[in-house]
Amino acid sequence: MLAHGLLADPGAVPLVIGIVGHRDPVTEVVPILQSNLKRQLQQLISQLPHTPLIMLNGLAEGIDIITANVFLEVVGADQENRGSKATNHQLVAVLPKSPEKYREDFQDAKALAAHDQILSRCNAVLTPINCNELSLPKVANAHPRADDDPTCYEQQGFFLTQHSHLLIAFSDGIDTHLKGGTSQTIAMHKGEFHRRFTVDGVLASKETGVLIEHKTPRRRENSPTADAGKIKYWPVVEGDSVEIPTRLLAFPHRLDEINRKISAQNFQPTCYNTAEGSFTRLWSLADNLAKSSKKNYELLCKALVISGTILILLSESLEEIVKSGRGLWFILVVITLALIPKLQHRPKRDFISYRCLAECLTVQHLWRAIDIKNDAADLFHTRYNDDLSWIRSTLRAVRVQLLCSYANEARLVPQSIEKAMIWMQGQIAFLDNKIKVFEHLSRRLMLFAIIFFIAAVLMAILAISQNFSMSDQSQSYRIFFSLIICSFSALAYSRLMGYRDTKERYKRSLEQFKRAQIALKEASELPSNVIEYQRIVIEAVGLEKLDELNDWVADQLQRVYAPGT
């Protein structure tokens, strides 16, 4: 893919866990909290053996430092037990300020020393300096932003909720109405309105994650102490056991199955040409599964169109039986209206899902490689379809991987742009070829429909012009009806596969890619600001690609073959 060869393949997709909690938990409750968190982390590692865990942690005094130590203890034990078979678990610091400025938040020397010690053990450190998603404009309300502006903590909380599938919160349940407070971050993760929300926070969309809330009393007079250590889950499930309910781990288990496949020794990443380099293992798997699902879907569509046609023709030939009251016609209608559309669902859903994942990953890697802030997950607008929401969660996990990688390695922007040009040339060749193929298939099916229709008309003329007997007229009627059904079946299959509509959409994308290719070439000849201009062009190409993908998905979800309607 685009950034591959510039950055090592990140490998298995992580389950991203965010931590949020108070800075002043009651000391006596801390051992209970540590024990419960340890059991939950051990459960995840045990049930998801192929999936690395990434903990996003603000490393503030109190809960952040406590949970970071528990995480390091648990993953250290896993690496010791499994050796080379252990996955690459990572502790990632997510700081609201630069490390130097953030140290000024610590009033206690012991807490600061603990922060520094954990920070040195982090696999990556994300700050407003190396992560656009944590940065804020230097001006707020037409005035320079103050150093103590709490909005940076709100931005940190938004980052945690946006990128974490599991948010583990340690809260006493009291809403402090503070920007960046624990209660606000919890509300953001649940999608609830909060009086302190910014416009971006209210309007931002996110697929549903999981919230694990540990009751954590604070060292304050009004903080409730009852039920300390009790655990609540959201979405709500019955019970308050320490072990995370299986129902809430559907996406992590799906992720683990993907990781099992891409970590197999015989799995080979896709490589179309040496100039572009090998694709990531995740992209390669998504592409392979999309291709196989498409083949299965096309075969099923052909079988369904043929079987639907036969059912209708059969119902006509068994007219006398139907009239006898045995209900065969009703049974055929039930089959065509109920069974046939359902049979299409799974292969079609898998084809759409994995093709979307591959296309979004392409844009995601490219934008990250040249430091474009846009998020492919936010712009993939099928979040209202439950079958596709896992794609957005996967994209966010990959995004965290890339953010961590680029936090430790410099971006090679010129090389990334060069690979983007190779990708665009490949897209142009692909689209040009597909347009010709779809044009040919669309014309061929239309030709079949016309031939069957003309044959039906000729049969009707022959029946009218000749003095046929009653039996001959009945036979002519059946042949005429059969030819008409075959004609409409050819049209139905063409419509179901969407050859004409897809061809027109591909033509629009082809023109966009050609214009972008010309623009990139012109940008390379500019005397200055070449990289910035090329970034603009590539961002536009990515947006066009995602827009085309969204249109394609919406169109595909509407295509269902129902011959009885």
Side-chain angles (χ1 to χ4, degrees), residues 299-338:
L299 288 173
L300 183 59
C301 285
K302 291 177 182 177
L304 293 177
V305 171
I306 293 172
S307 62
T309 303
I310 292 174
L311 283 173
I312 295 175
L313 295 176
L314 185 62
S315 68
E316 288 298 317
S317 64
L318 298 178
E319 181 179 359
E320 295 301 322
I321 298 178
V322 173
K323 288 181 179 178
S324 67
R326 297 182 184 179
L328 179 60
W329 175 256
F330 175 76
I331 294 174
L332 293 177
V333 169
V334 169
I335 291 174
T336 54
L337 294 183

mmCIF file of all heavy atoms in Angstrom, residues 299-338:
data_model
loop_
_atom_site.group_PDB
_atom_site.id
_atom_site.type_symbol
_atom_site.label_atom_id
_atom_site.label_comp_id
_atom_site.label_asym_id
_atom_site.label_seq_id
_atom_site.Cartn_x
_atom_site.Cartn_y
_atom_site.Cartn_z
ATOM 1 N N LEU A 299 -21.644 -15.726 -8.135
ATOM 2 C CA LEU A 299 -22.161 -17.064 -8.427
ATOM 3 C C LEU A 299 -23.558 -17.247 -7.844
ATOM 4 O O LEU A 299 -24.448 -17.832 -8.485
ATOM 5 C CB LEU A 299 -21.215 -18.132 -7.866
ATOM 6 C CG LEU A 299 -19.877 -18.316 -8.595
ATOM 7 C CD1 LEU A 299 -18.980 -19.281 -7.823
ATOM 8 C CD2 LEU A 299 -20.107 -18.833 -10.017
ATOM 9 N N LEU A 300 -23.756 -16.754 -6.626
ATOM 10 C CA LEU A 300 -25.061 -16.872 -5.994
ATOM 11 C C LEU A 300 -26.111 -16.056 -6.739
ATOM 12 O O LEU A 300 -27.251 -16.500 -6.925
ATOM 13 C CB LEU A 300 -24.980 -16.416 -4.534
ATOM 14 C CG LEU A 300 -26.269 -16.552 -3.710
ATOM 15 C CD1 LEU A 300 -26.730 -18.009 -3.687
ATOM 16 C CD2 LEU A 300 -26.054 -16.046 -2.297
ATOM 17 N N CYS A 301 -25.720 -14.855 -7.188
ATOM 18 C CA CYS A 301 -26.659 -14.020 -7.941
ATOM 19 C C CYS A 301 -27.100 -14.723 -9.226
ATOM 20 O O CYS A 301 -28.279 -14.708 -9.588
ATOM 21 C CB CYS A 301 -26.023 -12.663 -8.274
ATOM 22 S SG CYS A 301 -25.917 -11.542 -6.864
ATOM 23 N N LYS A 302 -26.139 -15.335 -9.917
ATOM 24 C CA LYS A 302 -26.482 -16.068 -11.140
ATOM 25 C C LYS A 302 -27.430 -17.226 -10.805
ATOM 26 O O LYS A 302 -28.436 -17.440 -11.500
ATOM 27 C CB LYS A 302 -25.223 -16.604 -11.802
ATOM 28 C CG LYS A 302 -24.327 -15.529 -12.391
ATOM 29 C CD LYS A 302 -23.055 -16.134 -12.960
ATOM 30 C CE LYS A 302 -22.124 -15.037 -13.499
ATOM 31 N NZ LYS A 302 -20.847 -15.591 -14.000
ATOM 32 N N ALA A 303 -27.105 -17.954 -9.743
ATOM 33 C CA ALA A 303 -27.951 -19.083 -9.353
ATOM 34 C C ALA A 303 -29.342 -18.618 -8.953
ATOM 35 O O ALA A 303 -30.347 -19.265 -9.275
ATOM 36 C CB ALA A 303 -27.295 -19.846 -8.207
ATOM 37 N N LEU A 304 -29.415 -17.468 -8.256
ATOM 38 C CA LEU A 304 -30.704 -16.968 -7.809
ATOM 39 C C LEU A 304 -31.562 -16.489 -8.972
ATOM 40 O O LEU A 304 -32.776 -16.724 -9.001
ATOM 41 C CB LEU A 304 -30.498 -15.829 -6.798
ATOM 42 C CG LEU A 304 -29.878 -16.221 -5.453
ATOM 43 C CD1 LEU A 304 -29.673 -15.000 -4.586
ATOM 44 C CD2 LEU A 304 -30.738 -17.239 -4.745
ATOM 45 N N VAL A 305 -30.930 -15.792 -9.921
ATOM 46 C CA VAL A 305 -31.687 -15.326 -11.090
ATOM 47 C C VAL A 305 -32.218 -16.523 -11.879
ATOM 48 O O VAL A 305 -33.389 -16.553 -12.298
ATOM 49 C CB VAL A 305 -30.815 -14.429 -11.982
ATOM 50 C CG1 VAL A 305 -31.521 -14.136 -13.307
ATOM 51 C CG2 VAL A 305 -30.509 -13.114 -11.271
ATOM 52 N N ILE A 306 -31.372 -17.524 -12.086
ATOM 53 C CA ILE A 306 -31.789 -18.711 -12.843
ATOM 54 C C ILE A 306 -32.879 -19.475 -12.096
ATOM 55 O O ILE A 306 -33.906 -19.858 -12.675
ATOM 56 C CB ILE A 306 -30.575 -19.629 -13.104
ATOM 57 C CG1 ILE A 306 -29.591 -18.930 -14.048
ATOM 58 C CG2 ILE A 306 -31.026 -20.951 -13.707
ATOM 59 C CD1 ILE A 306 -28.272 -19.667 -14.203
ATOM 60 N N SER A 307 -32.654 -19.687 -10.785
ATOM 61 C CA SER A 307 -33.652 -20.436 -10.004
ATOM 62 C C SER A 307 -34.962 -19.670 -9.896
ATOM 63 O O SER A 307 -36.043 -20.264 -9.955
ATOM 64 C CB SER A 307 -33.105 -20.752 -8.606
ATOM 65 O OG SER A 307 -32.828 -19.562 -7.898
ATOM 66 N N GLY A 308 -34.873 -18.339 -9.746
ATOM 67 C CA GLY A 308 -36.090 -17.538 -9.697
ATOM 68 C C GLY A 308 -36.871 -17.615 -10.987
ATOM 69 O O GLY A 308 -38.103 -17.713 -10.991
ATOM 70 N N THR A 309 -36.141 -17.578 -12.101
ATOM 71 C CA THR A 309 -36.788 -17.699 -13.409
ATOM 72 C C THR A 309 -37.455 -19.068 -13.558
ATOM 73 O O THR A 309 -38.596 -19.174 -14.020
ATOM 74 C CB THR A 309 -35.746 -17.501 -14.525
ATOM 75 O OG1 THR A 309 -35.109 -16.234 -14.361
ATOM 76 C CG2 THR A 309 -36.408 -17.561 -15.896
ATOM 77 N N ILE A 310 -36.740 -20.104 -13.148
ATOM 78 C CA ILE A 310 -37.293 -21.458 -13.253
ATOM 79 C C ILE A 310 -38.532 -21.612 -12.378
ATOM 80 O O ILE A 310 -39.534 -22.227 -12.786
ATOM 81 C CB ILE A 310 -36.228 -22.501 -12.858
ATOM 82 C CG1 ILE A 310 -35.107 -22.520 -13.909
ATOM 83 C CG2 ILE A 310 -36.846 -23.879 -12.714
ATOM 84 C CD1 ILE A 310 -33.950 -23.410 -13.538
ATOM 85 N N LEU A 311 -38.493 -21.027 -11.169
ATOM 86 C CA LEU A 311 -39.643 -21.120 -10.279
ATOM 87 C C LEU A 311 -40.886 -20.491 -10.901
ATOM 88 O O LEU A 311 -41.992 -21.038 -10.831
ATOM 89 C CB LEU A 311 -39.331 -20.444 -8.944
ATOM 90 C CG LEU A 311 -38.445 -21.219 -7.961
ATOM 91 C CD1 LEU A 311 -38.103 -20.353 -6.769
ATOM 92 C CD2 LEU A 311 -39.123 -22.504 -7.526
ATOM 93 N N ILE A 312 -40.696 -19.337 -11.515
ATOM 94 C CA ILE A 312 -41.834 -18.655 -12.128
ATOM 95 C C ILE A 312 -42.362 -19.444 -13.322
ATOM 96 O O ILE A 312 -43.574 -19.611 -13.508
ATOM 97 C CB ILE A 312 -41.444 -17.223 -12.546
ATOM 98 C CG1 ILE A 312 -41.104 -16.395 -11.300
ATOM 99 C CG2 ILE A 312 -42.576 -16.561 -13.311
ATOM 100 C CD1 ILE A 312 -40.604 -15.011 -11.599
ATOM 101 N N LEU A 313 -41.443 -19.954 -14.148
ATOM 102 C CA LEU A 313 -41.860 -20.756 -15.297
ATOM 103 C C LEU A 313 -42.544 -22.041 -14.836
ATOM 104 O O LEU A 313 -43.529 -22.489 -15.428
ATOM 105 C CB LEU A 313 -40.644 -21.094 -16.172
ATOM 106 C CG LEU A 313 -39.963 -19.902 -16.858
ATOM 107 C CD1 LEU A 313 -38.726 -20.372 -17.600
ATOM 108 C CD2 LEU A 313 -40.920 -19.202 -17.802
ATOM 109 N N LEU A 314 -42.016 -22.626 -13.762
ATOM 110 C CA LEU A 314 -42.584 -23.857 -13.241
ATOM 111 C C LEU A 314 -43.993 -23.628 -12.709
ATOM 112 O O LEU A 314 -44.881 -24.468 -12.870
ATOM 113 C CB LEU A 314 -41.686 -24.412 -12.133
ATOM 114 C CG LEU A 314 -42.077 -25.771 -11.540
ATOM 115 C CD1 LEU A 314 -42.020 -26.849 -12.619
ATOM 116 C CD2 LEU A 314 -41.164 -26.108 -10.382
ATOM 117 N N SER A 315 -44.196 -22.475 -12.094
ATOM 118 C CA SER A 315 -45.527 -22.180 -11.559
ATOM 119 C C SER A 315 -46.560 -22.080 -12.663
ATOM 120 O O SER A 315 -47.723 -22.444 -12.486
ATOM 121 C CB SER A 315 -45.489 -20.877 -10.754
ATOM 122 O OG SER A 315 -45.266 -19.782 -11.622
ATOM 123 N N GLU A 316 -46.136 -21.612 -13.855
ATOM 124 C CA GLU A 316 -47.056 -21.529 -14.987
ATOM 125 C C GLU A 316 -47.375 -22.916 -15.541
ATOM 126 O O GLU A 316 -48.507 -23.217 -15.887
ATOM 127 C CB GLU A 316 -46.441 -20.651 -16.078
ATOM 128 C CG GLU A 316 -46.411 -19.167 -15.731
ATOM 129 C CD GLU A 316 -47.824 -18.605 -15.546
ATOM 130 O OE1 GLU A 316 -48.708 -18.939 -16.364
ATOM 131 O OE2 GLU A 316 -48.047 -17.877 -14.575
ATOM 132 N N SER A 317 -46.343 -23.760 -15.630
ATOM 133 C CA SER A 317 -46.563 -25.102 -16.179
ATOM 134 C C SER A 317 -47.383 -25.969 -15.243
ATOM 135 O O SER A 317 -47.986 -26.960 -15.666
ATOM 136 C CB SER A 317 -45.222 -25.776 -16.478
ATOM 137 O OG SER A 317 -44.505 -25.974 -15.281
ATOM 138 N N LEU A 318 -47.415 -25.618 -13.950
ATOM 139 C CA LEU A 318 -48.200 -26.385 -12.977
ATOM 140 C C LEU A 318 -49.494 -25.653 -12.616
ATOM 141 O O LEU A 318 -49.972 -25.716 -11.481
ATOM 142 C CB LEU A 318 -47.368 -26.629 -11.706
ATOM 143 C CG LEU A 318 -46.088 -27.462 -11.906
ATOM 144 C CD1 LEU A 318 -45.344 -27.574 -10.582
ATOM 145 C CD2 LEU A 318 -46.399 -28.825 -12.473
ATOM 146 N N GLU A 319 -49.999 -24.940 -13.625
ATOM 147 C CA GLU A 319 -51.181 -24.108 -13.389
ATOM 148 C C GLU A 319 -52.359 -24.915 -12.849
ATOM 149 O O GLU A 319 -53.072 -24.487 -11.948
ATOM 150 C CB GLU A 319 -51.568 -23.424 -14.695
ATOM 151 C CG GLU A 319 -52.782 -22.516 -14.574
ATOM 152 C CD GLU A 319 -53.107 -21.849 -15.906
ATOM 153 O OE1 GLU A 319 -52.387 -22.093 -16.881
ATOM 154 O OE2 GLU A 319 -54.091 -21.096 -15.933
ATOM 155 N N GLU A 320 -52.571 -26.119 -13.413
ATOM 156 C CA GLU A 320 -53.707 -26.925 -12.996
ATOM 157 C C GLU A 320 -53.578 -27.369 -11.544
ATOM 158 O O GLU A 320 -54.556 -27.423 -10.810
ATOM 159 C CB GLU A 320 -53.837 -28.142 -13.928
ATOM 160 C CG GLU A 320 -54.167 -27.786 -15.364
ATOM 161 C CD GLU A 320 -55.474 -27.005 -15.456
ATOM 162 O OE1 GLU A 320 -56.423 -27.321 -14.687
ATOM 163 O OE2 GLU A 320 -55.550 -26.066 -16.266
ATOM 164 N N ILE A 321 -52.343 -27.688 -11.148
ATOM 165 C CA ILE A 321 -52.129 -28.111 -9.758
ATOM 166 C C ILE A 321 -52.389 -26.959 -8.798
ATOM 167 O O ILE A 321 -52.984 -27.129 -7.738
ATOM 168 C CB ILE A 321 -50.704 -28.666 -9.579
ATOM 169 C CG1 ILE A 321 -50.508 -29.902 -10.456
ATOM 170 C CG2 ILE A 321 -50.416 -28.985 -8.121
ATOM 171 C CD1 ILE A 321 -49.120 -30.487 -10.385
ATOM 172 N N VAL A 322 -51.927 -25.754 -9.237
ATOM 173 C CA VAL A 322 -52.144 -24.587 -8.381
ATOM 174 C C VAL A 322 -53.638 -24.333 -8.201
ATOM 175 O O VAL A 322 -54.127 -24.034 -7.111
ATOM 176 C CB VAL A 322 -51.456 -23.351 -9.004
ATOM 177 C CG1 VAL A 322 -51.808 -22.093 -8.216
ATOM 178 C CG2 VAL A 322 -49.950 -23.549 -9.024
ATOM 179 N N LYS A 323 -54.396 -24.482 -9.292
ATOM 180 C CA LYS A 323 -55.835 -24.239 -9.232
ATOM 181 C C LYS A 323 -56.543 -25.276 -8.371
ATOM 182 O O LYS A 323 -57.639 -25.041 -7.868
ATOM 183 C CB LYS A 323 -56.417 -24.253 -10.644
ATOM 184 C CG LYS A 323 -56.042 -23.027 -11.466
ATOM 185 C CD LYS A 323 -56.665 -23.085 -12.849
ATOM 186 C CE LYS A 323 -56.327 -21.846 -13.667
ATOM 187 N NZ LYS A 323 -56.898 -21.906 -15.035
ATOM 188 N N SER A 324 -55.924 -26.428 -8.210
ATOM 189 C CA SER A 324 -56.574 -27.495 -7.440
ATOM 190 C C SER A 324 -56.558 -27.218 -5.942
ATOM 191 O O SER A 324 -57.129 -27.973 -5.168
ATOM 192 C CB SER A 324 -55.901 -28.834 -7.727
ATOM 193 O OG SER A 324 -54.579 -28.838 -7.213
ATOM 194 N N GLY A 325 -55.880 -26.151 -5.550
ATOM 195 C CA GLY A 325 -55.930 -25.733 -4.157
ATOM 196 C C GLY A 325 -54.861 -26.319 -3.275
ATOM 197 O O GLY A 325 -54.971 -26.315 -2.062
ATOM 198 N N ARG A 326 -53.813 -26.855 -3.845
ATOM 199 C CA ARG A 326 -52.749 -27.441 -3.025
ATOM 200 C C ARG A 326 -51.750 -26.408 -2.499
ATOM 201 O O ARG A 326 -50.838 -26.743 -1.772
ATOM 202 C CB ARG A 326 -52.026 -28.520 -3.825
ATOM 203 C CG ARG A 326 -52.932 -29.682 -4.209
ATOM 204 C CD ARG A 326 -52.173 -30.746 -4.949
ATOM 205 N NE ARG A 326 -53.066 -31.814 -5.390
ATOM 206 C CZ ARG A 326 -52.667 -32.876 -6.088
ATOM 207 N NH1 ARG A 326 -51.391 -32.997 -6.413
ATOM 208 N NH2 ARG A 326 -53.532 -33.798 -6.473
ATOM 209 N N GLY A 327 -51.864 -25.174 -2.926
ATOM 210 C CA GLY A 327 -51.044 -24.087 -2.368
ATOM 211 C C GLY A 327 -49.631 -24.007 -2.878
ATOM 212 O O GLY A 327 -48.774 -23.372 -2.244
ATOM 213 N N LEU A 328 -49.327 -24.652 -4.031
ATOM 214 C CA LEU A 328 -47.952 -24.606 -4.526
ATOM 215 C C LEU A 328 -47.533 -23.180 -4.880
ATOM 216 O O LEU A 328 -46.396 -22.784 -4.619
ATOM 217 C CB LEU A 328 -47.805 -25.521 -5.749
ATOM 218 C CG LEU A 328 -46.426 -25.569 -6.393
ATOM 219 C CD1 LEU A 328 -45.393 -26.062 -5.384
ATOM 220 C CD2 LEU A 328 -46.424 -26.461 -7.633
ATOM 221 N N TRP A 329 -48.445 -22.427 -5.438
ATOM 222 C CA TRP A 329 -48.102 -21.046 -5.805
ATOM 223 C C TRP A 329 -47.716 -20.234 -4.577
ATOM 224 O O TRP A 329 -46.753 -19.471 -4.599
ATOM 225 C CB TRP A 329 -49.278 -20.392 -6.522
ATOM 226 C CG TRP A 329 -49.043 -18.932 -6.815
ATOM 227 C CD1 TRP A 329 -49.575 -17.856 -6.172
ATOM 228 C CD2 TRP A 329 -48.177 -18.398 -7.817
ATOM 229 N NE1 TRP A 329 -49.107 -16.699 -6.709
ATOM 230 C CE2 TRP A 329 -48.238 -16.998 -7.728
ATOM 231 C CE3 TRP A 329 -47.361 -18.989 -8.789
ATOM 232 C CZ2 TRP A 329 -47.523 -16.169 -8.568
ATOM 233 C CZ3 TRP A 329 -46.653 -18.154 -9.625
ATOM 234 C CH2 TRP A 329 -46.728 -16.758 -9.510
ATOM 235 N N PHE A 330 -48.458 -20.433 -3.501
ATOM 236 C CA PHE A 330 -48.138 -19.709 -2.272
ATOM 237 C C PHE A 330 -46.742 -20.078 -1.769
ATOM 238 O O PHE A 330 -45.981 -19.217 -1.327
ATOM 239 C CB PHE A 330 -49.185 -20.029 -1.209
ATOM 240 C CG PHE A 330 -48.881 -19.419 0.133
ATOM 241 C CD1 PHE A 330 -49.083 -18.071 0.377
ATOM 242 C CD2 PHE A 330 -48.367 -20.208 1.163
ATOM 243 C CE1 PHE A 330 -48.785 -17.513 1.607
ATOM 244 C CE2 PHE A 330 -48.077 -19.662 2.388
ATOM 245 C CZ PHE A 330 -48.296 -18.311 2.621
ATOM 246 N N ILE A 331 -46.402 -21.343 -1.853
ATOM 247 C CA ILE A 331 -45.084 -21.798 -1.401
ATOM 248 C C ILE A 331 -43.982 -21.169 -2.259
ATOM 249 O O ILE A 331 -42.956 -20.714 -1.740
ATOM 250 C CB ILE A 331 -44.995 -23.336 -1.462
ATOM 251 C CG1 ILE A 331 -45.973 -23.955 -0.458
ATOM 252 C CG2 ILE A 331 -43.577 -23.810 -1.176
ATOM 253 C CD1 ILE A 331 -46.058 -25.463 -0.540
ATOM 254 N N LEU A 332 -44.204 -21.116 -3.561
ATOM 255 C CA LEU A 332 -43.207 -20.517 -4.456
ATOM 256 C C LEU A 332 -43.020 -19.037 -4.158
ATOM 257 O O LEU A 332 -41.898 -18.520 -4.181
ATOM 258 C CB LEU A 332 -43.626 -20.723 -5.914
ATOM 259 C CG LEU A 332 -43.625 -22.168 -6.418
ATOM 260 C CD1 LEU A 332 -44.131 -22.226 -7.853
ATOM 261 C CD2 LEU A 332 -42.239 -22.773 -6.317
ATOM 262 N N VAL A 333 -44.117 -18.340 -3.886
ATOM 263 C CA VAL A 333 -44.024 -16.913 -3.567
ATOM 264 C C VAL A 333 -43.242 -16.703 -2.280
ATOM 265 O O VAL A 333 -42.401 -15.809 -2.168
ATOM 266 C CB VAL A 333 -45.432 -16.293 -3.462
ATOM 267 C CG1 VAL A 333 -45.358 -14.888 -2.878
ATOM 268 C CG2 VAL A 333 -46.094 -16.249 -4.830
ATOM 269 N N VAL A 334 -43.499 -17.560 -1.268
ATOM 270 C CA VAL A 334 -42.767 -17.452 0.003
ATOM 271 C C VAL A 334 -41.275 -17.657 -0.214
ATOM 272 O O VAL A 334 -40.432 -16.939 0.331
ATOM 273 C CB VAL A 334 -43.312 -18.478 1.022
ATOM 274 C CG1 VAL A 334 -42.397 -18.554 2.240
ATOM 275 C CG2 VAL A 334 -44.722 -18.096 1.445
ATOM 276 N N ILE A 335 -40.933 -18.635 -1.047
ATOM 277 C CA ILE A 335 -39.522 -18.920 -1.319
ATOM 278 C C ILE A 335 -38.858 -17.726 -1.995
ATOM 279 O O ILE A 335 -37.782 -17.287 -1.599
ATOM 280 C CB ILE A 335 -39.380 -20.181 -2.185
ATOM 281 C CG1 ILE A 335 -39.780 -21.419 -1.382
ATOM 282 C CG2 ILE A 335 -37.951 -20.330 -2.696
ATOM 283 C CD1 ILE A 335 -39.806 -22.698 -2.202
ATOM 284 N N THR A 336 -39.511 -17.188 -3.020
ATOM 285 C CA THR A 336 -38.898 -16.104 -3.784
ATOM 286 C C THR A 336 -38.816 -14.808 -2.993
ATOM 287 O O THR A 336 -37.856 -14.049 -3.117
ATOM 288 C CB THR A 336 -39.676 -15.846 -5.080
ATOM 289 O OG1 THR A 336 -41.057 -15.618 -4.755
ATOM 290 C CG2 THR A 336 -39.568 -17.023 -6.014
ATOM 291 N N LEU A 337 -39.825 -14.547 -2.158
ATOM 292 C CA LEU A 337 -39.840 -13.279 -1.414
ATOM 293 C C LEU A 337 -39.045 -13.332 -0.115
ATOM 294 O O LEU A 337 -38.525 -12.313 0.327
ATOM 295 C CB LEU A 337 -41.280 -12.873 -1.096
ATOM 296 C CG LEU A 337 -42.169 -12.510 -2.298
ATOM 297 C CD1 LEU A 337 -43.541 -12.067 -1.816
ATOM 298 C CD2 LEU A 337 -41.526 -11.419 -3.127
ATOM 299 N N ALA A 338 -38.955 -14.476 0.488
ATOM 300 C CA ALA A 338 -38.295 -14.588 1.799
ATOM 301 C C ALA A 338 -36.927 -15.224 1.732
ATOM 302 O O ALA A 338 -35.939 -14.654 2.209
ATOM 303 C CB ALA A 338 -39.189 -15.382 2.753
#
